[in-house]
Amino acid sequence: MQYQGMNGMTYFVEEQKLASGGEGAIYAVQGNPAMVAKIFRTDKKTPQREHKLRIMAAKKMTKEQLAYFTWPQDVLFDKNGFAGYIMPRVSGMKTLTELYSEDRYDMEWRLAAAYNVCVTVEAIHEVGQVCGDLNSLNILVNLTENDPNCCHVTLVDTDSYHVVTDTVDYRCEVGMSDYLAPEIQKKMGNGVTLRNAPLPTYTMETDRFALAVHIFCLLMNGCHPFACAKQVGDTIEDTMEQKTTTGDMPSVVAPQPIDNIKEGFFPFCMSKPGITVPAYAPDFDSLPPSLQALFRQTFCEGYDDPAKRVTASEWVNALSSLWNEGFKECDKGHKMLAGAPVCPLCQIEKKLERISGKIGGSQVIPPRKSSEGPNPPTPPPVSQEEPVKEFEITTVEWIILMLAIGLVLFIGLAFIGLAAENASESEDNSNKYDSEDYDSDSDSTDDDTSGIDSSWQAAETTEQIFSIDEHRIAKVTM
């Protein structure tokens, strides 16, 4: 497929798709493996999208900046007009959610990624741009161990960014509610969406809110800062159960994150009757006091005054200090920040131990006390059957039995005599076999045995192609 750029440059695009989505498909560019082409569906080829991409492509980024975000490089046209755009190619990276949803990534991994996310958002803001839809699926991270670029972060889907010029605002029309700042949440509903909500919608301040959500999730065992749980006594129930349970149950229901965001209720430092933080989240005081203050500044003070939210640059400075302080391990081997007052994972374990009844909708069986000992074995059931009667035989039955035994002995002796005669004849015939038959069989047997031996040796000497090396995360560049 052939396309023309804004300045007349010709691009030859492969026929086979690399990926596809709701807006269009991604294709490789012939002769330029560092770039790909995004070709939009017919209904997405609007004049407004074309103008927006022209403005973005005209704003040239440095090579370093392009490593942080896939900024449009050129706008593509075919015989029918506007078709798509050219952008940097990204491969071998995972979404941010995989990092904080997998137990194998410890605090060192997560802090490195959190720092790099902040650096990337800072780079966007330094050129005067707004991300807008800064959800976890649009943030990619290199999770390849022992890679020089391990934990490198790249932002994708930048064509949806909120672009503001002196005369026109090109809206970001998409967003995930868990990352939308309260001032946006309050504008939506009753037919009002991001496409028609009163401007401004996305700003640098809303980016800072979403950025703080990601940092919190990374450092707090994947828990959303506005997630909470229903508590009745010592019982904590998860949100899904609260949404589906009916009948005579307590009326207190844990709000969803979107509800808490709208109301400015930050459950990790605010309280409501019957509401607590999720069981899988460590307590807020497991974070160093410096980080606690930054989260309060963003989620509490920044609720009424978005300008007070912590900037990407401020997060970079705070997290770089924590990185330089290093890490420590608790008695159980959990890695945590050197400045953490308590181990967050041990805190979660203790929390679960204290909770009786339901956790996440499932029953918890308390451990057996050592003094109780194992349960005694159950004795076999006593049989209730009638006792077996002794065998009785009459004189007539005895005579018949003896005659039958004699007949069997007679037949057996006759059979033995016949077998002896046949064996003598067989011995005479065995001398007629040629010795070459035995040699042939011997050779065949040796070949089979040799084949088995070589296969076994191959199985023993073949080494495994995988090994587990001690991972080292690439040093964060300060």
Side-chain angles (χ1 to χ4, degrees):
M1 298 183 289
Q2 182 176 336
Y3 297 92
Q4 298 293 322
M6 289 191 301
N7 298 321
M9 183 174 180
T10 300
Y11 296 90
F12 294 94
V13 176
E14 300 287 353
E15 296 284 344
Q16 187 174 1
K17 301 177 184 178
L18 295 176
S20 60
E23 292 184 336
I26 306 297
Y27 300 86
V29 177
Q30 294 181 7
N32 194 347
M35 295 291 169
V36 292
K38 181 174 182 178
I39 307 301
F40 291 106
R41 287 171 21 188
T42 302
D43 60 328
K44 301 297 182 181
K45 299 176 182 179
T46 63
Q48 185 179 24
R49 189 184 299 273
E50 177 188 344
H51 296 157
K52 177 182 179 180
L53 286 169
R54 281 179 175 271
I55 291 173
M56 296 180 73
K59 192 175 186 67
K60 299 302 181 182
M61 300 292 175
T62 65
K63 183 178 180 181
E64 181 182 16
Q65 290 169 332
L66 291 179
Y68 291 155
F69 41 85
T70 56
W71 196 259
Q73 297 300 289
D74 202 350
V75 182
L76 299 179
F77 302 87
D78 58 16
K79 61 181 180 180
N80 296 317
F82 170 61
Y85 69 98
I86 296 290
M87 63 178 173
R89 184 171 188 169
V90 176
S91 60
M93 303 183 78
K94 305 293 184 180
T95 62
L96 192 65
T97 52
E98 185 164 336
L99 184 62
Y100 55 67
S101 62
E102 292 284 345
D103 293 339
R104 60 195 178 103
Y105 299 115
D106 60 23
M107 184 59 74
E108 187 175 2
W109 283 81
R110 299 181 186 198
L111 180 60
Y115 174 89
N116 289 338
V117 171
C118 295
V119 170
T120 304
V121 174
E122 180 185 38
I124 285 284
H125 288 179
E126 283 178 346
V127 296
Q129 298 301 311
V130 174
C131 298
D133 184 24
L134 192 59
N135 74 73
S136 55
L137 300 180
N138 291 341
I139 304 174
L140 302 185
V141 58
N142 182 351
L143 297 180
T144 304
E145 297 185 24
N146 302 315
D147 190 307
N149 293 319
C150 181
C151 288
H152 177 80
V153 170
T154 301
L155 303 181
V156 296
D157 285 349
T158 59
D159 60 296
S160 69
Y161 277 13
H162 194 89
V163 178
V164 178
T165 68
D166 294 336
T167 57
V168 181
D169 282 6
Y170 293 96
R171 294 174 180 262
C172 173
E173 299 180 346
V174 293
M176 293 180 65
S177 59
D178 285 356
Y179 305 98
L180 296 181
E183 58 267 33
I184 299 179
Q185 304 267 17
K186 293 176 182 179
K187 292 182 179 182
M188 298 174 62
N190 298 321
V192 179
T193 68
L194 289 167
R195 297 180 179 181
N196 56 19
L199 293 172
T201 50
Y202 286 114
T203 62
M204 288 190 184
E205 287 75 23
T206 64
D207 280 356
R208 292 167 188 164
F209 177 88
L211 176 61
V213 171
H214 290 301
I215 298 170
F216 191 95
C217 289
L218 286 167
L219 302 184
M220 292 289 282
N221 199 39
C223 184
H224 192 284
F226 289 88
C228 59
K230 170 183 173 182
Q231 182 170 16
V232 180
D234 291 331
T235 301
I236 295 180
E237 297 177 353
D238 62 22
T239 302
M240 186 57 66
E241 181 179 356
Q242 296 153 16
K243 293 175 66 178
T244 58
T245 300
T246 58
D248 298 331
M249 295 293 291
S251 59
V252 178
V253 176
Q256 297 295 293
I258 182 175
D259 300 321
N260 290 334
I261 292 173
K262 287 181 180 179
E263 296 178 8
F265 175 63
F266 181 35
F268 284 84
C269 65
M270 300 178 180
S271 61
K272 280 185 179 181
I275 298 299
T276 186
V277 298
Y280 63 89
D283 291 342
F284 195 49
D285 61 10
S286 68
L287 292 172
S290 59
L291 287 187
Q292 296 179 41
L294 294 180
F295 284 124
R296 287 194 188 96
Q297 181 180 335
T298 298
F299 297 137
C300 300
E301 298 174 28
Y303 176 76
D304 293 318
D305 187 0
K308 292 184 176 180
R309 292 173 187 155
V310 180
T311 66
S313 298
E314 291 171 332
W315 279 116
V316 167
N317 293 332
L319 297 182
S320 64
S321 297
L322 294 177
W323 179 268
N324 290 331
E325 290 176 8
F327 305 87
K328 61 184 179 181
E329 291 187 356
C330 70
D331 294 338
K332 293 185 177 181
H334 300 147
K335 183 175 288 188
M336 57 182 170
L337 300 174
V342 296
C343 172
L345 296 182
C346 288
Q347 202 174 57
I348 294 173
E349 292 176 356
K350 292 179 180 178
K351 184 189 301 186
L352 296 178
E353 291 174 358
R354 290 196 306 267
I355 297 171
S356 61
K358 291 184 177 180
I359 298 179
S362 60
Q363 293 291 330
V364 174
I365 302 175
R368 181 188 302 276
K369 297 180 180 179
S370 58
S371 60
E372 294 179 0
N375 291 328
T378 304
V382 179
S383 174
Q384 301 297 326
E385 297 179 358
E386 293 291 333
V388 179
K389 296 181 179 179
E390 294 183 1
F391 180 73
E392 297 180 357
I393 185 170
T394 64
T395 304
V396 176
E397 291 173 339
W398 178 262
I399 295 173
I400 295 174
L401 177 61
M402 295 303 294
L403 291 174
I405 293 174
L407 180 61
V408 170
L409 290 175
F410 175 78
I411 296 173
L413 292 173
F415 179 78
I416 292 173
L418 181 60
E421 183 179 355
N422 291 336
S424 177
E425 294 178 359
S426 177
E427 184 178 358
D428 293 337
N429 291 333
S430 63
N431 295 327
K432 298 179 181 179
Y433 288 112
D434 193 314
S435 60
E436 293 181 0
D437 291 335
Y438 286 101
D439 294 339
S440 175
D441 292 339
S442 177
D443 293 340
S444 176
T445 303
D446 290 342
D447 290 342
D448 292 343
T449 304
S450 175
I452 293 174
D453 289 343
S454 63
S455 298
W456 178 249
Q457 290 173 353
E460 288 183 323
T461 57
T462 301
E463 296 181 357
Q464 298 182 25
I465 60 173
F466 59 89
S467 62
I468 301 175
D469 298 324
E470 182 179 359
H471 78 269
R472 295 181 59 83
I473 298 180
K475 186 71 174 179
V476 178
T477 303
M478 301 300 177

